[in-house]
DNA sequence: CAGCGCTACCACACCCC
DNA sequence: GGTGTGGTAGCG
């Protein structure tokens, strides 16, 4: 008895001296890593900007998440941590319900969709069928715009439907392909759905038929901001134009029926009976919050779960559970690093912000250097369209010699492939741009249709969606591809970064160009 | 102490016929 | 009536 007590005492004394040698830290910190590894990161912020500032100061691969914590007002706090650590505390689903990923502005991301319709307002709508048709349409558009192949098996299909609402998230898992950021995703999605907007607009026209020769004709007032609308006065001449307009409209409808894809399945009614799209276009804004796999909106108890008709199955891995795989796959900004990663872009207003962006990103050197951050920075600096590179050359006086610029243009346009300039970075990239024809931007489209003295410009305007548009649908889309052609890459790089005369350009390259 | 980024909508000024 | 602007409620 006494002996047992002595042993116990000794044990306690040993433990006491152990804690004297290695005291517990004053503040408990959750810790996934071993003591010799870097400490865990788990920080909460009231302001999103503070969270992102912390991420910038952080070497580790951390991300910003938004947590809903008050019912009613969608007020959120912001959590910064790693995917692994979040999953560790998240997976039990006893805490951290109502979590959102913050899709950072300017961050490479996946193609994603938020789909929903009110069941009561759309009796007979077959949600699953609509999802399948949409996926088909998206894959076709990816193929036609970017020559990117995919199928329903590449799409993670998450469901959070209720009796009232059909609701899905789609996240595309494209191999070695991602979008520049979610603004570009939005541009692509809106372009891809253009035939559907025209359908809605034309059906609205049918519901409110305009009286011939009356005040005005309303035309194609779409929910997209680049939609076309114009009006006219009731003179004889204008009546003629108005008729032209109507006949064009009919022609447009005809061609829409014949050649552009039939997207009528995407049209649903909201709870007041107005026609809308099945696809929510409000989710492609800066720093958009996107609900995590197995999270629910606060106040509701409907988490996102793998849909029964989901066809995406993550590759099985020994140390990552299937649930964790789905969790990671559902993260829109979780783009897998790859040295052959292609970045898709879709510019709406080509002439606006690009150079500004270039200046901005080029000053942000020396940032934290995880592979991912390096990659994103590299991408940012390389994401210049050919036009912008020319502007940049002119703007910065990089090359005072027109023949150098000519040479560069020839070089990168070789074999009908327009190109960009691989800058000094881990990954060398080449831009594959669309062929010659200058695409009519939405601004020119608007200015054309607004000009009352040029009905012919309306007729020939790209404001109508035609088969040709669809086939040429590459529009402002660019594909960036890794290139193994080191010689070409190096020459282009040197051309941009400081050759001062034609003498300095390697002979063999000059010969190559002259031979063309 | 404490959210964020829009867009649709409205009100208003100003212009032109 | 058309067009442009500025402010904001409310949606996602």
């Amino acid at each position: 008895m006494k002996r047992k007590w002595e042993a116990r005492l000794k044990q306690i004394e040993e433990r006491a001296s152990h804690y004297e040698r290695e005291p517990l830290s004053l503040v408990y910190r959750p810790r996934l890593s071993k003591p010799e590894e870097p400490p865990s990161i788990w920080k909460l912020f009231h302001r999103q900007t503070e969270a992102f500032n912390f991420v910038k100061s952080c070497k580790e691969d951390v991300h910003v998440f938004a947590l809903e914590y008050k019912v009613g007002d969608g007020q959120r706090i912001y959590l910064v941590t790693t995917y692994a650590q979040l999953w560790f505390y998240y997976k039990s689903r006893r805490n951290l319900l109502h979590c959102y990923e913050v899709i950072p502005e300017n961050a490479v991301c996946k193609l994603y969709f938020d789909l929903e319709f009110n069941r009561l307002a759309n009796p007979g709508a077959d949600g699953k069928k609509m999802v399948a048709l949409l996926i088909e349409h998206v894959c076709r558009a990816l193929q036609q715009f970017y020559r990117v192949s995919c199928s329903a098996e590449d799409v993670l299909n998450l469901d959070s439907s209720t009796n009232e609402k059909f609701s899905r998230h789609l996240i595309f898992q494209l191999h070695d392909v991602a979008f520049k950021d979610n603004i570009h995703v939005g541009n692509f999605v809106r372009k891809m759905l253009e035939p559907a907007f025209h359908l809605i607009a034309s059906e609205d026209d049918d519901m409110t038929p305009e009286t011939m020769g009356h005040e005005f004709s309303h035309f194609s007032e779409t929910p997209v901001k680049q939609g076309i609308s114009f009006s006219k006065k009731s003179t004889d001449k204008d009546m003629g134009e108005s008729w032209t307009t109507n006949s064009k409209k009919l022609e447009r409808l005809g061609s829409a029926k014949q050649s552009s894809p039939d997207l009528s399945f995407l049209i649903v009614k909201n709870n007041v009976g107005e026609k809308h799209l099945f696809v929510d276009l409000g989710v492609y804004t800066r720093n958009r919050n996107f609900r995590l796999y197995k999270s629910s909106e606060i106040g509701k108890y409907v988490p996102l779960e793998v849909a029964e008709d989901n066809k995406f199955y993550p590759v099985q891995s020994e140390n990552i559970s299937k649930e964790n795989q789905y969790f990671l796959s559902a993260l829109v900004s979780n783009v897998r690093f790859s040295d052959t990663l292609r970045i898709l872009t879709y510019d709406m207003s080509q002439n606006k912000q690009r150079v500004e962006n270039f200046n901005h990103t080029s000053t942000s050197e020396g940032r934290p250097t995880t592979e991912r951050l390096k990659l994103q920075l590299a991408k940012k600096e390389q994401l210049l369209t050919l036009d912008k590179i020319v502007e940049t050359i002119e703007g910065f006086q990089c090359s005072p010699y027109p023949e150098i610029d000519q040479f560069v243009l020839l070089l990168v346009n070789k074999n009908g492939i327009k190109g960009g300039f691989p800058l000094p970075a881990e990954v060398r990239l080449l831009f594959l741009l669309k062929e010659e024809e200058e695409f009519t931007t939405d601004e020119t489209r608007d200015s054309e249709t607004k000009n009352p003295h040029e009905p012919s410009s309306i007729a020939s305007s790209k404001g109508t969606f035609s088969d040709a548009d669809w086939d040429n649908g590459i529009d402002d889309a660019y594909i960036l591809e890794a290139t193994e052609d080191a010689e070409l890459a190096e020459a282009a790089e040197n051309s941009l970064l400081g050759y001062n005369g034609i003498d300095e350009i390697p002979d063999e390259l000059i010969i190559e160009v002259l031979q063309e």
Side-chain angles (χ1 to χ4, degrees):
Chain A
M1 186 70 178
K2 190 183 172 187
R3 189 166 289 259
K4 205 174 178 181
W5 189 85
E6 279 174 348
R8 180 93 178 128
L9 187 66
K10 196 180 174 187
Q11 204 182 0
I12 290 170
E13 279 170 351
E14 274 173 9
R15 181 167 295 183
S17 71
H18 168 79
Y19 281 124
E20 271 172 25
R21 274 180 281 119
E22 293 178 45
L24 291 171
S25 70
L26 288 173
V27 184
Y28 171 73
R29 296 180 200 286
R31 179 176 283 260
L32 296 180
S33 48
K34 291 168 191 162
E36 68 272 14
E37 287 172 358
S40 69
I41 293 164
W42 188 275
K43 271 189 179 285
L44 292 169
F45 299 87
H46 280 284
R47 305 290 174 146
Q48 184 179 260
T49 44
E50 293 169 13
F52 277 112
N53 284 339
F54 177 70
V55 168
K56 274 182 214 159
S57 74
C58 209
K59 265 199 270 251
E60 287 78 6
D61 191 10
V62 290
H63 305 267
V64 181
F65 302 90
L67 316 176
E68 277 183 315
Y69 69 104
K70 252 194 267 176
V71 189
D73 58 353
Q75 205 161 302
R76 283 145 203 229
I77 51 172
Y78 298 92
L79 164 67
V80 175
T81 189
T82 59
Y83 290 152
Q85 195 172 346
L86 178 64
W87 178 247
F88 183 83
Y89 295 103
Y90 181 88
K91 62 186 173 194
S92 74
R93 301 317 296 124
R94 288 195 295 268
N95 325 295
L96 300 165
L97 320 169
H98 333 304
C99 281
Y100 298 76
E101 167 189 17
V102 181
I103 304 166
E105 58 180 308
N106 303 319
V108 170
C109 71
K110 300 175 191 173
L111 173 59
Y112 64 101
F113 290 88
D114 181 21
L115 310 174
E116 53 186 43
F117 66 82
N118 186 311
R119 288 192 201 270
L120 298 170
N122 299 276
D126 182 348
K128 280 189 199 174
K129 182 116 182 254
M130 290 156 72
V131 170
L133 286 171
L134 175 70
I135 291 173
E136 239 174 70
H137 178 67
V138 173
C139 291
R140 198 162 53 230
L142 281 170
Q143 180 62 234
Q144 294 192 4
F145 286 36
Y146 300 106
R147 308 289 165 214
V148 165
S149 302
C150 74
S151 71
E153 282 136 57
D154 302 310
V155 185
L156 176 55
N157 189 338
L158 300 179
D159 184 49
S160 62
S161 299
T162 63
N163 288 336
E164 293 83 44
K165 210 169 86 172
F166 180 91
S167 172
R168 293 283 174 103
H169 281 190
L170 302 184
I171 299 97
F172 280 64
Q173 321 285 327
L174 302 172
H175 309 292
D176 290 340
V177 174
F179 275 83
K180 187 201 169 196
D181 61 36
N182 70 333
I183 304 299
H184 285 254
V185 173
N187 293 342
F188 166 68
V189 170
R190 278 183 289 268
K191 182 64 186 179
M192 180 187 76
L193 298 178
E194 213 166 64
F197 294 126
H198 289 146
L199 268 178
I200 291 182
S202 61
E203 285 176 24
D204 285 351
D205 284 352
D206 294 345
M207 286 165 78
T208 54
E210 61 253 80
T211 328
M212 269 305 277
H214 211 264
E215 312 312 328
F216 58 91
S217 70
H218 233 54
F219 169 55
S220 189
E221 200 169 43
T222 69
V224 266
K225 82 173 161 216
Q226 65 272 18
I228 321 125
S229 72
F230 58 88
S231 55
K232 293 207 172 24
K233 291 163 205 87
S234 53
T235 64
D236 287 350
K237 185 182 160 223
D238 288 328
M239 267 179 70
E241 282 180 19
S242 184
W243 189 88
T244 306
T245 305
N246 285 335
S247 73
K248 274 298 140 193
K249 190 173 75 191
L250 292 175
E251 192 181 306
R252 181 198 70 216
L253 286 173
S255 81
K257 249 186 188 165
Q258 284 163 14
S259 50
S260 72
D262 178 18
L263 298 185
S264 53
F265 70 92
L266 285 174
I267 297 172
V268 293
K269 288 184 176 173
N270 66 7
N271 42 16
V272 278
E274 297 163 329
K275 285 177 180 176
H276 280 273
L277 288 192
F278 179 40
V279 177
D280 180 356
L281 295 167
V283 297
Y284 305 111
T285 56
R286 292 177 174 81
N287 301 318
R288 162 65 40 180
N289 290 193
F290 209 58
R291 196 143 50 95
L292 294 186
Y293 175 53
K294 286 195 182 291
S295 264
S296 62
E297 291 173 48
I298 199 163
K300 302 179 185 177
Y301 298 92
V302 192
L304 281 159
E305 299 284 1
V306 176
E308 62 269 24
D309 53 333
N310 168 66
K311 293 194 173 67
F312 170 78
Y313 302 101
V315 273
Q316 284 302 329
S317 148
E318 282 178 18
N319 41 7
I320 304 177
S321 70
K322 197 171 181 180
E323 286 299 310
N324 193 2
Q325 292 273 30
Y326 278 126
F327 173 79
L328 292 169
S329 302
L331 288 161
V332 170
S333 40
N334 179 24
V335 175
R336 199 192 312 166
F337 172 82
S338 155
D339 55 5
T340 54
L341 186 63
R342 281 179 294 168
I343 306 294
L344 311 182
T345 77
Y346 198 108
D347 280 312
M348 271 304 173
S349 49
Q350 260 204 311
N351 305 320
K352 278 183 183 168
Q353 282 180 324
R354 269 310 178 77
V355 173
E356 192 188 317
N357 281 349
F358 177 80
N359 289 336
H360 175 70
T361 55
S362 63
T363 54
S364 59
E365 287 167 18
R367 288 187 49 187
T369 56
T370 65
E371 274 315 294
R372 188 181 307 278
L373 284 176
K374 269 201 283 186
L375 175 70
Q376 291 205 355
L377 184 59
K379 297 293 184 238
K380 274 190 206 168
E381 299 200 343
Q382 289 170 65
L383 276 164
L384 292 165
T385 65
L386 184 63
D387 293 350
K388 294 310 143 194
I389 287 162
V390 174
E391 275 183 35
T392 306
I393 289 169
E394 287 164 1
F396 292 167
Q397 301 291 312
C398 281
S399 166
Y401 302 98
E403 62 267 38
I404 299 291
D405 298 340
Q406 280 294 320
F407 167 76
V408 171
L409 291 175
L410 261 174
L411 194 64
V412 297
N413 286 333
K414 209 171 63 157
N415 303 324
I417 299 171
K418 291 187 180 179
F421 296 88
L423 298 178
E426 299 81 1
V427 186
R428 296 188 182 282
L429 297 172
L430 181 71
F431 292 62
L432 289 181
L433 306 197
K434 65 154 183 166
E435 291 296 81
E436 300 306 310
E437 74 276 346
E438 194 62 39
F439 180 68
T440 311
T441 67
D442 297 299
E443 286 140 38
T444 56
R445 192 181 300 178
D446 281 344
S447 65
E448 275 176 13
T449 49
K450 273 176 200 152
N451 187 340
H453 301 298
E454 278 191 42
S456 61
S457 75
I458 297 168
S460 63
S461 144
K462 304 245 176 146
T464 59
F465 193 90
S466 67
D467 193 27
D469 279 349
W470 184 251
D471 283 337
N472 296 337
I474 310 285
D475 286 352
D476 308 333
Y478 307 94
I479 304 175
L480 283 76
E481 280 194 344
T483 175
E484 300 290 285
D485 192 340
E487 196 176 55
L488 183 76
E490 193 180 347
E493 180 178 324
N494 290 337
S495 304
L496 183 69
L497 295 180
Y499 275 130
N500 289 319
I502 200 135
D503 291 341
E504 293 181 54
I505 295 167
D507 281 342
E508 56 277 22
L509 285 175
I510 292 174
I511 291 160
E512 197 178 342
V513 172
L514 291 178
Q515 276 170 351
E516 300 226 341

